Amino acid sequence: MAAPGWWSAPWEADDDNDPDAGWASVPDADGEAWPESAGAASLDDDAILKPLEAQFGQVRSRVRVRDLAEVFTHQREVDAMLDQIPDAFDGLDVKFLEPSCGSGNFLTEILRRKLRLVTKAACVSKEHYEHRLLRALASIYGVDISPENIAEARGRMAHVVLEHYQTDANTVEPTVGFLNAAALILGDNVVVGDTLNAADQVELCDWRPAPSGFFQRVWSRSLVPIEERDLFWAERVQDAEPVHYSALVAGIALVKPKRRTTRSSQ
């Protein structure tokens, strides 16, 4: 499917930097490009969420809803709004940012629509398939002032990814590297922050996909308008060279940039 005309990828189709180019049906250690489990894969959301630190609770209370003046968007309205931009879902790496994401009503539907571009039938190997799933997840960002909302949004997005994997590739067991990478992406893309009063302190990671299952991470305070960036604003390249998704978690404690504390108006 062609990417939307108003968006262009930072690579040319089929060139050396195209993450979808050059894939071959290369056998894994067991001699199979698509190794299958004995039965249908059986996972729950914790398969992705356990690698995340248990920072936030999952309890929704009327007091919290009142204090944060939360407004919940019905699925009908979510669908109606996203239906206005159908071509935004023609490109796997088109980025979305929800600056007040709540518990993830828009994030989960955006993810579902993106995952329609990822099918086992169109991928030559499990590695190719998992990389495309992670690219879809890595292109979606959400910020909210409520830690409880962020925890819930992450959980719902994890459920959408696993549900797609189990439905579309139901005899294939996800790799540990995939599950850990998905947890890492959710932890860095869906974050607590105040986009109204402290957007300059919201730091997000740009997951730049590369061929053969790799990503290169670049951090920036991307919510700050260009004209408001001062001398101290700068992108920071975390990975000098692209890293395979299965190894993203292994080196995270050594090279992840230290984040500034985000102010909250709560």
Side-chain angles (χ1 to χ4, degrees), residues 12-43:
E12 297 294 330
D14 298 322
D15 73 10
D16 291 341
N17 296 314
D18 183 353
D20 276 323
W23 285 96
S25 185
V26 179
D28 71 348
D30 297 321
E32 299 177 86
W34 273 105
E36 298 189 347
S37 55
S42 178
L43 296 168

PDB file of all heavy atoms in Angstrom, residues 12-43:
ATOM      1  N   GLU A  12      14.286   5.961   0.449  1.00  0.00           N
ATOM      2  CA  GLU A  12      13.663   5.662  -0.834  1.00  0.00           C
ATOM      3  C   GLU A  12      13.255   4.197  -0.844  1.00  0.00           C
ATOM      4  O   GLU A  12      13.913   3.350  -0.232  1.00  0.00           O
ATOM      5  CB  GLU A  12      14.624   5.947  -1.988  1.00  0.00           C
ATOM      6  CG  GLU A  12      15.039   7.412  -2.113  1.00  0.00           C
ATOM      7  CD  GLU A  12      13.885   8.310  -2.489  1.00  0.00           C
ATOM      8  OE1 GLU A  12      12.972   7.818  -3.190  1.00  0.00           O
ATOM      9  OE2 GLU A  12      13.890   9.491  -2.097  1.00  0.00           O
ATOM     10  N   ALA A  13      12.177   3.901  -1.539  1.00  0.00           N
ATOM     11  CA  ALA A  13      11.720   2.514  -1.624  1.00  0.00           C
ATOM     12  C   ALA A  13      12.811   1.622  -2.197  1.00  0.00           C
ATOM     13  O   ALA A  13      13.421   1.946  -3.209  1.00  0.00           O
ATOM     14  CB  ALA A  13      10.460   2.433  -2.487  1.00  0.00           C
ATOM     15  N   ASP A  14      13.057   0.521  -1.522  1.00  0.00           N
ATOM     16  CA  ASP A  14      14.007  -0.504  -1.963  1.00  0.00           C
ATOM     17  C   ASP A  14      15.467  -0.063  -1.935  1.00  0.00           C
ATOM     18  O   ASP A  14      16.321  -0.740  -2.506  1.00  0.00           O
ATOM     19  CB  ASP A  14      13.668  -1.004  -3.378  1.00  0.00           C
ATOM     20  CG  ASP A  14      12.294  -1.648  -3.426  1.00  0.00           C
ATOM     21  OD1 ASP A  14      11.944  -2.331  -2.452  1.00  0.00           O
ATOM     22  OD2 ASP A  14      11.588  -1.461  -4.424  1.00  0.00           O
ATOM     23  N   ASP A  15      15.775   1.091  -1.279  1.00  0.00           N
ATOM     24  CA  ASP A  15      17.195   1.428  -1.168  1.00  0.00           C
ATOM     25  C   ASP A  15      17.782   0.761   0.072  1.00  0.00           C
ATOM     26  O   ASP A  15      17.105   0.021   0.785  1.00  0.00           O
ATOM     27  CB  ASP A  15      17.419   2.945  -1.180  1.00  0.00           C
ATOM     28  CG  ASP A  15      16.982   3.635   0.121  1.00  0.00           C
ATOM     29  OD1 ASP A  15      16.684   2.941   1.110  1.00  0.00           O
ATOM     30  OD2 ASP A  15      16.950   4.878   0.141  1.00  0.00           O
ATOM     31  N   ASP A  16      19.046   1.006   0.343  1.00  0.00           N
ATOM     32  CA  ASP A  16      19.735   0.294   1.416  1.00  0.00           C
ATOM     33  C   ASP A  16      19.203   0.642   2.802  1.00  0.00           C
ATOM     34  O   ASP A  16      19.484  -0.076   3.768  1.00  0.00           O
ATOM     35  CB  ASP A  16      21.242   0.603   1.372  1.00  0.00           C
ATOM     36  CG  ASP A  16      21.913  -0.014   0.162  1.00  0.00           C
ATOM     37  OD1 ASP A  16      21.318  -0.945  -0.424  1.00  0.00           O
ATOM     38  OD2 ASP A  16      23.015   0.439  -0.209  1.00  0.00           O
ATOM     39  N   ASN A  17      18.463   1.737   2.936  1.00  0.00           N
ATOM     40  CA  ASN A  17      17.934   2.146   4.225  1.00  0.00           C
ATOM     41  C   ASN A  17      16.469   1.791   4.426  1.00  0.00           C
ATOM     42  O   ASN A  17      15.921   2.032   5.502  1.00  0.00           O
ATOM     43  CB  ASN A  17      18.101   3.665   4.397  1.00  0.00           C
ATOM     44  CG  ASN A  17      19.556   4.080   4.435  1.00  0.00           C
ATOM     45  OD1 ASN A  17      20.364   3.472   5.126  1.00  0.00           O
ATOM     46  ND2 ASN A  17      19.903   5.116   3.676  1.00  0.00           N
ATOM     47  N   ASP A  18      15.834   1.242   3.402  1.00  0.00           N
ATOM     48  CA  ASP A  18      14.423   0.876   3.493  1.00  0.00           C
ATOM     49  C   ASP A  18      14.279  -0.334   4.420  1.00  0.00           C
ATOM     50  O   ASP A  18      14.803  -1.412   4.137  1.00  0.00           O
ATOM     51  CB  ASP A  18      13.892   0.538   2.104  1.00  0.00           C
ATOM     52  CG  ASP A  18      12.411   0.205   2.102  1.00  0.00           C
ATOM     53  OD1 ASP A  18      11.815   0.107   3.186  1.00  0.00           O
ATOM     54  OD2 ASP A  18      11.853   0.029   1.003  1.00  0.00           O
ATOM     55  N   PRO A  19      13.553  -0.194   5.559  1.00  0.00           N
ATOM     56  CA  PRO A  19      13.439  -1.314   6.495  1.00  0.00           C
ATOM     57  C   PRO A  19      12.667  -2.499   5.936  1.00  0.00           C
ATOM     58  O   PRO A  19      12.741  -3.600   6.499  1.00  0.00           O
ATOM     59  CB  PRO A  19      12.716  -0.697   7.701  1.00  0.00           C
ATOM     60  CG  PRO A  19      12.044   0.512   7.181  1.00  0.00           C
ATOM     61  CD  PRO A  19      12.897   1.022   6.061  1.00  0.00           C
ATOM     62  N   ASP A  20      11.954  -2.301   4.829  1.00  0.00           N
ATOM     63  CA  ASP A  20      11.220  -3.412   4.224  1.00  0.00           C
ATOM     64  C   ASP A  20      11.967  -4.044   3.062  1.00  0.00           C
ATOM     65  O   ASP A  20      11.481  -4.997   2.455  1.00  0.00           O
ATOM     66  CB  ASP A  20       9.855  -2.929   3.732  1.00  0.00           C
ATOM     67  CG  ASP A  20       8.818  -2.927   4.834  1.00  0.00           C
ATOM     68  OD1 ASP A  20       8.846  -3.838   5.672  1.00  0.00           O
ATOM     69  OD2 ASP A  20       7.998  -2.000   4.866  1.00  0.00           O
ATOM     70  N   ALA A  21      13.140  -3.531   2.748  1.00  0.00           N
ATOM     71  CA  ALA A  21      13.893  -4.067   1.619  1.00  0.00           C
ATOM     72  C   ALA A  21      14.920  -5.098   2.083  1.00  0.00           C
ATOM     73  O   ALA A  21      15.408  -5.042   3.210  1.00  0.00           O
ATOM     74  CB  ALA A  21      14.608  -2.936   0.887  1.00  0.00           C
ATOM     75  N   GLY A  22      15.225  -6.024   1.229  1.00  0.00           N
ATOM     76  CA  GLY A  22      16.313  -6.959   1.491  1.00  0.00           C
ATOM     77  C   GLY A  22      15.985  -8.128   2.386  1.00  0.00           C
ATOM     78  O   GLY A  22      16.863  -8.918   2.732  1.00  0.00           O
ATOM     79  N   TRP A  23      14.723  -8.270   2.801  1.00  0.00           N
ATOM     80  CA  TRP A  23      14.383  -9.413   3.644  1.00  0.00           C
ATOM     81  C   TRP A  23      14.395 -10.680   2.808  1.00  0.00           C
ATOM     82  O   TRP A  23      13.907 -10.720   1.697  1.00  0.00           O
ATOM     83  CB  TRP A  23      13.003  -9.233   4.266  1.00  0.00           C
ATOM     84  CG  TRP A  23      12.971  -8.246   5.394  1.00  0.00           C
ATOM     85  CD1 TRP A  23      12.628  -6.933   5.325  1.00  0.00           C
ATOM     86  CD2 TRP A  23      13.300  -8.502   6.760  1.00  0.00           C
ATOM     87  NE1 TRP A  23      12.720  -6.349   6.563  1.00  0.00           N
ATOM     88  CE2 TRP A  23      13.130  -7.285   7.467  1.00  0.00           C
ATOM     89  CE3 TRP A  23      13.723  -9.626   7.469  1.00  0.00           C
ATOM     90  CZ2 TRP A  23      13.353  -7.174   8.837  1.00  0.00           C
ATOM     91  CZ3 TRP A  23      13.947  -9.517   8.825  1.00  0.00           C
ATOM     92  CH2 TRP A  23      13.773  -8.307   9.494  1.00  0.00           C
ATOM     93  N   ALA A  24      14.957 -11.703   3.375  1.00  0.00           N
ATOM     94  CA  ALA A  24      14.966 -13.006   2.716  1.00  0.00           C
ATOM     95  C   ALA A  24      14.487 -14.047   3.712  1.00  0.00           C
ATOM     96  O   ALA A  24      14.546 -13.843   4.918  1.00  0.00           O
ATOM     97  CB  ALA A  24      16.367 -13.351   2.215  1.00  0.00           C
ATOM     98  N   SER A  25      14.020 -15.160   3.200  1.00  0.00           N
ATOM     99  CA  SER A  25      13.524 -16.222   4.070  1.00  0.00           C
ATOM    100  C   SER A  25      14.695 -16.987   4.658  1.00  0.00           C
ATOM    101  O   SER A  25      15.019 -18.105   4.265  1.00  0.00           O
ATOM    102  CB  SER A  25      12.616 -17.165   3.270  1.00  0.00           C
ATOM    103  OG  SER A  25      12.034 -18.129   4.103  1.00  0.00           O
ATOM    104  N   VAL A  26      15.346 -16.354   5.629  1.00  0.00           N
ATOM    105  CA  VAL A  26      16.540 -16.931   6.241  1.00  0.00           C
ATOM    106  C   VAL A  26      16.135 -17.826   7.407  1.00  0.00           C
ATOM    107  O   VAL A  26      15.417 -17.390   8.311  1.00  0.00           O
ATOM    108  CB  VAL A  26      17.478 -15.818   6.742  1.00  0.00           C
ATOM    109  CG1 VAL A  26      18.708 -16.424   7.406  1.00  0.00           C
ATOM    110  CG2 VAL A  26      17.882 -14.927   5.578  1.00  0.00           C
ATOM    111  N   PRO A  27      16.574 -19.076   7.443  1.00  0.00           N
ATOM    112  CA  PRO A  27      16.201 -19.970   8.539  1.00  0.00           C
ATOM    113  C   PRO A  27      16.738 -19.478   9.876  1.00  0.00           C
ATOM    114  O   PRO A  27      17.759 -18.813   9.948  1.00  0.00           O
ATOM    115  CB  PRO A  27      16.855 -21.305   8.144  1.00  0.00           C
ATOM    116  CG  PRO A  27      17.129 -21.188   6.685  1.00  0.00           C
ATOM    117  CD  PRO A  27      17.403 -19.741   6.440  1.00  0.00           C
ATOM    118  N   ASP A  28      16.021 -19.805  10.939  1.00  0.00           N
ATOM    119  CA  ASP A  28      16.514 -19.496  12.277  1.00  0.00           C
ATOM    120  C   ASP A  28      17.376 -20.655  12.758  1.00  0.00           C
ATOM    121  O   ASP A  28      17.785 -21.520  11.984  1.00  0.00           O
ATOM    122  CB  ASP A  28      15.349 -19.230  13.229  1.00  0.00           C
ATOM    123  CG  ASP A  28      14.559 -20.491  13.565  1.00  0.00           C
ATOM    124  OD1 ASP A  28      14.775 -21.527  12.877  1.00  0.00           O
ATOM    125  OD2 ASP A  28      13.749 -20.451  14.495  1.00  0.00           O
ATOM    126  N   ALA A  29      17.652 -20.692  14.045  1.00  0.00           N
ATOM    127  CA  ALA A  29      18.540 -21.728  14.588  1.00  0.00           C
ATOM    128  C   ALA A  29      17.968 -23.126  14.403  1.00  0.00           C
ATOM    129  O   ALA A  29      18.701 -24.116  14.358  1.00  0.00           O
ATOM    130  CB  ALA A  29      18.793 -21.450  16.069  1.00  0.00           C
ATOM    131  N   ASP A  30      16.632 -23.229  14.295  1.00  0.00           N
ATOM    132  CA  ASP A  30      15.993 -24.525  14.106  1.00  0.00           C
ATOM    133  C   ASP A  30      15.779 -24.869  12.637  1.00  0.00           C
ATOM    134  O   ASP A  30      15.141 -25.863  12.309  1.00  0.00           O
ATOM    135  CB  ASP A  30      14.639 -24.554  14.839  1.00  0.00           C
ATOM    136  CG  ASP A  30      14.799 -24.386  16.334  1.00  0.00           C
ATOM    137  OD1 ASP A  30      15.759 -24.961  16.883  1.00  0.00           O
ATOM    138  OD2 ASP A  30      13.975 -23.681  16.956  1.00  0.00           O
ATOM    139  N   GLY A  31      16.292 -24.019  11.746  1.00  0.00           N
ATOM    140  CA  GLY A  31      16.188 -24.300  10.331  1.00  0.00           C
ATOM    141  C   GLY A  31      14.889 -23.857   9.698  1.00  0.00           C
ATOM    142  O   GLY A  31      14.557 -24.285   8.597  1.00  0.00           O
ATOM    143  N   GLU A  32      14.127 -22.998  10.405  1.00  0.00           N
ATOM    144  CA  GLU A  32      12.847 -22.559   9.870  1.00  0.00           C
ATOM    145  C   GLU A  32      12.773 -21.037   9.864  1.00  0.00           C
ATOM    146  O   GLU A  32      13.188 -20.387  10.814  1.00  0.00           O
ATOM    147  CB  GLU A  32      11.689 -23.094  10.719  1.00  0.00           C
ATOM    148  CG  GLU A  32      11.598 -24.604  10.783  1.00  0.00           C
ATOM    149  CD  GLU A  32      10.463 -25.033  11.705  1.00  0.00           C
ATOM    150  OE1 GLU A  32       9.317 -25.118  11.217  1.00  0.00           O
ATOM    151  OE2 GLU A  32      10.724 -25.265  12.889  1.00  0.00           O
ATOM    152  N   ALA A  33      12.203 -20.486   8.793  1.00  0.00           N
ATOM    153  CA  ALA A  33      11.971 -19.050   8.754  1.00  0.00           C
ATOM    154  C   ALA A  33      10.742 -18.677   9.572  1.00  0.00           C
ATOM    155  O   ALA A  33      10.653 -17.593  10.128  1.00  0.00           O
ATOM    156  CB  ALA A  33      11.789 -18.590   7.310  1.00  0.00           C
ATOM    157  N   TRP A  34       9.784 -19.616   9.639  1.00  0.00           N
ATOM    158  CA  TRP A  34       8.573 -19.404  10.430  1.00  0.00           C
ATOM    159  C   TRP A  34       8.396 -20.573  11.406  1.00  0.00           C
ATOM    160  O   TRP A  34       7.532 -21.422  11.233  1.00  0.00           O
ATOM    161  CB  TRP A  34       7.334 -19.311   9.530  1.00  0.00           C
ATOM    162  CG  TRP A  34       7.055 -17.949   9.028  1.00  0.00           C
ATOM    163  CD1 TRP A  34       7.267 -17.464   7.780  1.00  0.00           C
ATOM    164  CD2 TRP A  34       6.487 -16.866   9.776  1.00  0.00           C
ATOM    165  NE1 TRP A  34       6.879 -16.155   7.697  1.00  0.00           N
ATOM    166  CE2 TRP A  34       6.385 -15.755   8.902  1.00  0.00           C
ATOM    167  CE3 TRP A  34       6.060 -16.726  11.102  1.00  0.00           C
ATOM    168  CZ2 TRP A  34       5.878 -14.523   9.314  1.00  0.00           C
ATOM    169  CZ3 TRP A  34       5.559 -15.498  11.502  1.00  0.00           C
ATOM    170  CH2 TRP A  34       5.470 -14.414  10.617  1.00  0.00           C
ATOM    171  N   PRO A  35       9.247 -20.665  12.431  1.00  0.00           N
ATOM    172  CA  PRO A  35       9.099 -21.752  13.398  1.00  0.00           C
ATOM    173  C   PRO A  35       7.769 -21.638  14.120  1.00  0.00           C
ATOM    174  O   PRO A  35       7.368 -20.558  14.551  1.00  0.00           O
ATOM    175  CB  PRO A  35      10.266 -21.529  14.365  1.00  0.00           C
ATOM    176  CG  PRO A  35      10.571 -20.072  14.251  1.00  0.00           C
ATOM    177  CD  PRO A  35      10.292 -19.712  12.822  1.00  0.00           C
ATOM    178  N   GLU A  36       7.048 -22.739  14.205  1.00  0.00           N
ATOM    179  CA  GLU A  36       5.733 -22.721  14.833  1.00  0.00           C
ATOM    180  C   GLU A  36       5.768 -23.493  16.150  1.00  0.00           C
ATOM    181  O   GLU A  36       6.519 -24.445  16.325  1.00  0.00           O
ATOM    182  CB  GLU A  36       4.679 -23.315  13.896  1.00  0.00           C
ATOM    183  CG  GLU A  36       4.529 -22.509  12.601  1.00  0.00           C
ATOM    184  CD  GLU A  36       3.350 -22.955  11.777  1.00  0.00           C
ATOM    185  OE1 GLU A  36       2.798 -24.026  12.065  1.00  0.00           O
ATOM    186  OE2 GLU A  36       2.971 -22.220  10.846  1.00  0.00           O
ATOM    187  N   SER A  37       4.923 -23.051  17.081  1.00  0.00           N
ATOM    188  CA  SER A  37       4.817 -23.733  18.362  1.00  0.00           C
ATOM    189  C   SER A  37       3.930 -24.958  18.201  1.00  0.00           C
ATOM    190  O   SER A  37       3.238 -25.125  17.198  1.00  0.00           O
ATOM    191  CB  SER A  37       4.239 -22.785  19.416  1.00  0.00           C
ATOM    192  OG  SER A  37       3.006 -22.259  18.976  1.00  0.00           O
ATOM    193  N   ALA A  38       3.946 -25.819  19.202  1.00  0.00           N
ATOM    194  CA  ALA A  38       3.175 -27.053  19.121  1.00  0.00           C
ATOM    195  C   ALA A  38       1.682 -26.779  19.012  1.00  0.00           C
ATOM    196  O   ALA A  38       0.943 -27.494  18.350  1.00  0.00           O
ATOM    197  CB  ALA A  38       3.458 -27.931  20.341  1.00  0.00           C
ATOM    198  N   GLY A  39       1.235 -25.714  19.657  1.00  0.00           N
ATOM    199  CA  GLY A  39      -0.169 -25.325  19.596  1.00  0.00           C
ATOM    200  C   GLY A  39      -0.270 -23.830  19.424  1.00  0.00           C
ATOM    201  O   GLY A  39       0.726 -23.141  19.253  1.00  0.00           O
ATOM    202  N   ALA A  40      -1.478 -23.341  19.468  1.00  0.00           N
ATOM    203  CA  ALA A  40      -1.670 -21.899  19.337  1.00  0.00           C
ATOM    204  C   ALA A  40      -0.982 -21.174  20.486  1.00  0.00           C
ATOM    205  O   ALA A  40      -1.015 -21.615  21.631  1.00  0.00           O
ATOM    206  CB  ALA A  40      -3.162 -21.573  19.321  1.00  0.00           C
ATOM    207  N   ALA A  41      -0.344 -20.065  20.179  1.00  0.00           N
ATOM    208  CA  ALA A  41       0.326 -19.280  21.205  1.00  0.00           C
ATOM    209  C   ALA A  41      -0.701 -18.779  22.219  1.00  0.00           C
ATOM    210  O   ALA A  41      -1.787 -18.340  21.862  1.00  0.00           O
ATOM    211  CB  ALA A  41       1.049 -18.098  20.564  1.00  0.00           C
ATOM    212  N   SER A  42      -0.367 -18.871  23.485  1.00  0.00           N
ATOM    213  CA  SER A  42      -1.272 -18.438  24.537  1.00  0.00           C
ATOM    214  C   SER A  42      -0.560 -17.425  25.414  1.00  0.00           C
ATOM    215  O   SER A  42       0.362 -17.768  26.152  1.00  0.00           O
ATOM    216  CB  SER A  42      -1.734 -19.635  25.376  1.00  0.00           C
ATOM    217  OG  SER A  42      -2.563 -19.225  26.428  1.00  0.00           O
ATOM    218  N   LEU A  43      -0.959 -16.167  25.294  1.00  0.00           N
ATOM    219  CA  LEU A  43      -0.309 -15.092  26.031  1.00  0.00           C
ATOM    220  C   LEU A  43      -1.354 -14.213  26.677  1.00  0.00           C
ATOM    221  O   LEU A  43      -2.491 -14.141  26.227  1.00  0.00           O
ATOM    222  CB  LEU A  43       0.544 -14.238  25.087  1.00  0.00           C
ATOM    223  CG  LEU A  43       1.733 -14.925  24.417  1.00  0.00           C
ATOM    224  CD1 LEU A  43       2.261 -14.031  23.308  1.00  0.00           C
ATOM    225  CD2 LEU A  43       2.823 -15.194  25.434  1.00  0.00           C
TER     226      LEU A  43
END
